[in-house]
Amino acid sequence: MNNSTSSIITIGREYGSGGRQIGQEIANYFGIKCYDKELLEHAANDSGICKELFENHDEKPTNSFLYSLVMDTYSFGYSSGFSDMPMNHKVFLAQFDAIKKLASEGPCVMVGRCADYALADNRDCFSVFIHADLDWRVNRISAKHHKSAKEARDMITKTDKSRASYYNYYTNKKWGNAASYSFSIDSSKFGVDGAVRAIIEVIEIFDECKKK
């Protein structure tokens, strides 16, 4: 079997749904790179903005006046054309540019960080959203991070709220809404392995359709 793809696969995910693992396994199957937090490093290197700012800003809501003021004290290293822009926007645009640049280098998997929005005009982009039953995610996070069920639930609520706010703030779409993505799947129904297999099959169909 030829396990190649011509697609750039973007993955949005609820916290605890296995999105990162699913993305890595899809990348392994097709023999392509998977970018998760690596996107931040590429954006930092290309923009000259220190990596810590990307990490502090990573998929966090930005519509905070105080946050903008604090971030703006670090306004350095990016092109002068952006000098009047709050640092949180500079960080997003640098990340946006890095996503487009990596996509131009060939097929890959990108996890989170509004990659589907950045690549909306790319005909090779196939966007996936992975969601799952809350109790299933609580059990998964509890086991993975050695947390109580209450702690895991709090982590999920906080992270999902942050990701949704970030996505909704920067895109004209709604985080988790099926209409915002090419394909949506419940990993608690399929399991991580089943979700990987299902997404791979749909991507292969997508690749075939692009040839017509």
Side-chain angles (χ1 to χ4, degrees):
M1 180 184 289
N2 181 9
N3 293 347
S4 64
T5 180
S6 59
S7 298
I8 293 105
I9 301 109
T10 68
I11 295 183
R13 71 283 183 234
E14 289 184 334
Y15 186 60
S17 66
R20 182 179 183 178
Q21 181 183 344
I22 289 168
Q24 289 170 334
E25 291 188 19
I26 290 169
N28 289 340
Y29 175 86
F30 287 119
I32 57 180
K33 291 182 179 178
C34 180
Y35 299 105
D36 185 2
K37 289 191 178 296
E38 296 85 356
L39 285 170
L40 308 182
E41 193 165 337
H42 281 275
N45 291 340
D46 291 345
S47 67
I49 300 172
C50 68
K51 185 181 175 184
E52 287 74 20
L53 283 178
F54 287 92
E55 292 172 344
N56 291 337
H57 176 261
D58 191 24
E59 294 191 294
K60 293 185 174 67
T62 57
N63 52 348
S64 160
F65 179 66
L66 179 61
Y67 180 87
S68 294
L69 283 179
V70 171
M71 288 296 99
D72 211 34
T73 64
Y74 294 96
S75 292
F76 58 86
Y78 209 54
S79 70
S80 58
F82 294 91
S83 58
D84 294 330
M85 186 181 295
M87 179 51 72
N88 53 326
H89 294 321
K90 294 178 190 177
V91 166
F92 176 79
L93 288 175
Q95 196 166 274
F96 190 94
D97 289 343
I99 288 167
K100 292 176 83 72
K101 180 182 175 183
L102 291 169
S104 73
E105 295 172 359
C108 59
V109 174
M110 296 188 183
V111 180
R113 297 161 187 91
C114 302
D116 60 305
Y117 178 72
L119 302 175
D121 295 330
N122 189 321
R123 69 178 297 272
D124 289 324
C125 179
F126 186 83
S127 59
V128 178
F129 189 81
I130 301 166
H131 58 101
D133 176 78
L134 179 58
D135 288 340
W136 187 83
R137 291 190 286 143
V138 167
N139 290 336
R140 198 168 179 276
I141 293 300
S142 294
K144 183 177 181 181
H145 297 289
H146 308 291
K147 300 289 185 181
S148 69
K150 183 184 183 305
E151 288 172 327
R153 191 177 293 268
D154 288 345
M155 288 171 66
I156 288 168
T157 301
K158 182 179 179 181
T159 306
D160 280 354
K161 184 177 180 181
S162 177
R163 287 177 180 174
S165 296
Y166 179 82
Y167 186 90
N168 296 346
Y169 181 79
Y170 279 116
T171 76
N172 58 355
K173 302 189 291 182
K174 185 171 176 59
W175 185 80
N177 186 324
S180 298
Y181 307 90
S182 310
F183 186 71
S184 183
I185 190 167
D186 184 342
S187 56
S188 61
K189 295 285 193 294
F190 289 81
V192 169
D193 290 344
V196 169
R197 284 164 41 211
I199 295 167
I200 286 170
E201 188 166 334
V202 174
I203 290 166
E204 290 173 338
I205 294 169
F206 176 65
D207 286 340
E208 285 298 316
C209 290
K210 285 189 295 180
K211 296 174 184 176
K212 295 177 180 178

